[in-house]
Amino acid sequence: MRARPEYQPPLDRRGVALRYLCAVVPMLFHGAVLAWLVAQDGSRLAQALTDVGLGVLGLVLIRWRRRWPWQIAVATVLLTAVSATATGPALVAYVSLVTHRRWSRTIPVAVVSVLCLLAGAVQDGITQATYVSTVSGVTILGALTVFGLYLRGRRDLELSLRERALAVEREQRQRIEQARLAERVKIAQEMHDVLAHRISLLAMLAGGLAYRTDLTPEQTREAALAIQENAHQSLNELRTVLGTLRDDGALEAPQPGLDHLDALFGEVRAAGQRVEVDDSVDGRDRLPAPTGRHAYRIVQEALTNARKHAPGSLVTAELGGRPGEGLRIRVTNPARPGSSPGPGGRLGLVGLAERTRMAGGTLSHTIRDGRFILDVRLPWESAERDPTGAGG
């Protein structure tokens, strides 16, 4: 199968100079022979000048050997029939033609080269020197053919390595972009969980100020301070998450876990949300940090959804489990028919399902006896279990 017959790598100045040197060296050799012959017989001066002139013409023609490979090769080969100094340019043009690996053009040019070689060899009659020069010329032509094929092979190898390197570089860029996209998805999820929680608290507090006219100045001041505190916390948490985008790395700030749930429940209760908690988790100190973080965010988002769908209602949060059995989270709240979920409604469950999937757990939700029930199960492997599964 013919491989990339048209591919010719660009030449630098050194490569161009080397090829012209290969053409000039035979010209100088034959020029020296012609000068010696003219010194012996002055009548050969015109013939010598014609020979050198045709050789110079061939040297000029090889400049376009890459644009018109077989045309320049034929032209320079024909010059060798009457000019010995044109042999150098003809050989360079022939090698350049062979590197294209087009045998339909290379073989005819090789045949013409042999015929021109025979024509030049028999000009002074057939002698022993004729046979020697013919055999030598055919041998040199064959060697140049092999050399041209070798150059073609090297160029194909270089092209293959370059294409492979480019492919590896493209794959590396794709992997980097995929990693960045995955990290930004995680950051976006963190932003959603944090800001949705904080903004829903602000909305609850602001709603209390807007609709309750029986508050004393002290109660109004406390509500305003709570709004201010939640706003400051929202800004701080937003700066933390956005800082990871500037650093282009993983989340570096300490992330909340299962031990921070008490603070979360206290915070939402202070904002006016009614929450009952039943926490029967056993061995929470052995809970993996990633699982604890996911559990915290799941409870946080569930409370946020309850504030949006059933504001002012009693929310029940149940947590249980132990190593080897998994972590169970159940959050229930009244399901009010016809209530509007508000901006971003129905997206909370999508975020919860995605976070649960990332944690390797399962999520289910239903409405039973007028209450919305959210059930989440997260894996919690026992520390005593052999992680390799090899046993004894």
Side-chain angles (χ1 to χ4, degrees):
M1 184 174 65
R2 191 174 60 193
R4 303 180 182 92
E6 296 300 332
Y7 173 70
Q8 293 289 325
L11 297 176
D12 54 12
R13 292 183 179 180
R14 182 179 178 182
V16 173
L18 180 61
R19 282 151 180 79
Y20 274 98
L21 180 62
C22 292
V24 169
V25 168
M27 291 180 66
L28 293 176
F29 173 76
H30 290 291
V33 173
L34 289 175
W36 181 80
L37 292 175
V38 170
Q40 298 296 323
D41 184 1
S43 62
R44 293 190 175 186
L45 178 60
Q47 180 183 357
L49 291 177
T50 302
D51 193 308
V52 172
L54 294 176
V56 173
L57 176 61
L59 189 65
V60 173
L61 289 176
I62 64 173
R63 176 182 180 183
W64 295 282
R65 70 191 183 281
R66 288 193 157 203
R67 183 178 299 178
W68 301 296
W70 71 270
Q71 294 92 331
I72 298 300
V74 169
T76 53
V77 163
L78 292 176
L79 291 178
T80 61
V82 292
S83 173
T85 54
T87 302
L91 296 179
V92 172
Y94 177 75
V95 172
S96 180
L97 175 64
V98 173
T99 59
H100 287 266
R101 202 180 290 170
R102 289 196 170 188
W103 298 110
S104 60
R105 296 175 179 177
T106 302
I107 293 177
V109 173
V111 172
V112 173
S113 299
V114 174
L115 294 177
C116 292
L117 178 64
L118 292 174
V122 301
Q123 284 182 356
D124 298 329
I126 300 178
T127 62
Q128 186 177 2
T130 302
Y131 293 108
V132 173
S133 62
T134 302
V135 172
S136 300
V138 172
T139 302
I140 293 173
L141 194 65
L144 291 177
T145 302
V146 174
F147 180 67
L149 294 176
Y150 167 73
L151 289 180
R152 174 76 264 171
R154 285 198 58 179
R155 290 173 181 176
D156 287 344
L157 178 60
E158 291 175 359
L159 178 61
S160 176
L161 294 176
R162 185 180 299 111
E163 291 177 346
R164 186 180 304 175
L166 292 175
V168 171
E169 185 178 354
R170 285 194 298 268
E171 292 176 0
Q172 180 67 14
R173 286 200 298 266
Q174 290 175 356
R175 285 194 294 267
I176 292 174
E177 289 301 323
Q178 290 173 356
R180 288 176 176 173
L181 179 60
E183 188 63 30
R184 286 171 179 169
V185 169
K186 293 179 182 178
I187 294 172
Q189 193 171 37
E190 293 291 333
M191 290 178 63
H192 171 269
D193 293 344
V194 170
L195 293 182
H197 169 70
R198 292 296 176 189
I199 292 175
S200 64
L201 286 179
L202 290 174
M204 177 180 292
L205 293 170
L209 288 178
Y211 295 104
R212 293 192 59 180
T213 59
D214 59 336
L215 295 177
T216 65
E218 183 63 25
Q219 291 175 327
T220 302
R221 181 174 177 276
E222 290 179 358
L225 289 175
I227 292 175
Q228 183 184 38
E229 178 64 22
N230 275 278
H232 286 166
Q233 291 182 7
S234 299
L235 290 175
N236 291 334
E237 292 177 349
L238 181 61
R239 289 192 190 100
T240 300
V241 176
L242 292 180
T244 62
L245 288 176
R246 289 190 295 268
D247 296 337
D248 196 21
L251 295 175
E252 297 178 357
Q255 296 298 301
L258 208 61
D259 293 336
H260 296 80
L261 284 178
D262 290 339
L264 174 64
F265 293 137
E267 185 178 68
V268 298
R269 285 167 178 157
Q273 187 173 15
R274 299 162 55 202
V275 180
E276 286 187 357
V277 180
D278 180 7
D279 189 345
S280 59
V281 177
D282 185 15
R284 63 175 62 231
D285 56 331
R286 287 177 285 171
L287 183 69
T291 304
R293 182 174 68 252
H294 287 302
Y296 178 91
R297 293 303 186 192
I298 289 171
V299 174
Q300 184 185 58
E301 180 63 21
L303 294 177
T304 301
N305 286 343
R307 286 195 297 273
K308 290 193 294 185
H309 294 275
S313 300
L314 177 64
V315 181
T316 301
E318 302 175 23
L319 295 94
R322 60 173 53 90
E325 294 184 0
L327 180 65
R328 302 184 303 275
I329 301 173
R330 170 177 285 193
V331 179
T332 64
N333 58 268
R336 294 186 175 181
S339 62
S340 173
R346 304 186 186 280
L347 295 181
L349 287 176
V350 176
L352 283 170
E354 177 65 18
R355 183 174 288 279
T356 303
R357 185 190 63 80
M358 290 171 56
T362 59
L363 177 145
S364 62
H365 57 85
T366 186
I367 296 178
R368 187 168 58 246
D369 298 331
R371 293 187 67 83
F372 177 81
I373 302 174
L374 175 72
D375 271 314
V376 177
R377 299 294 181 97
L378 300 180
W380 185 357
E381 298 295 335
S382 174
E384 290 79 9
R385 180 176 300 178
D386 183 2
T388 65

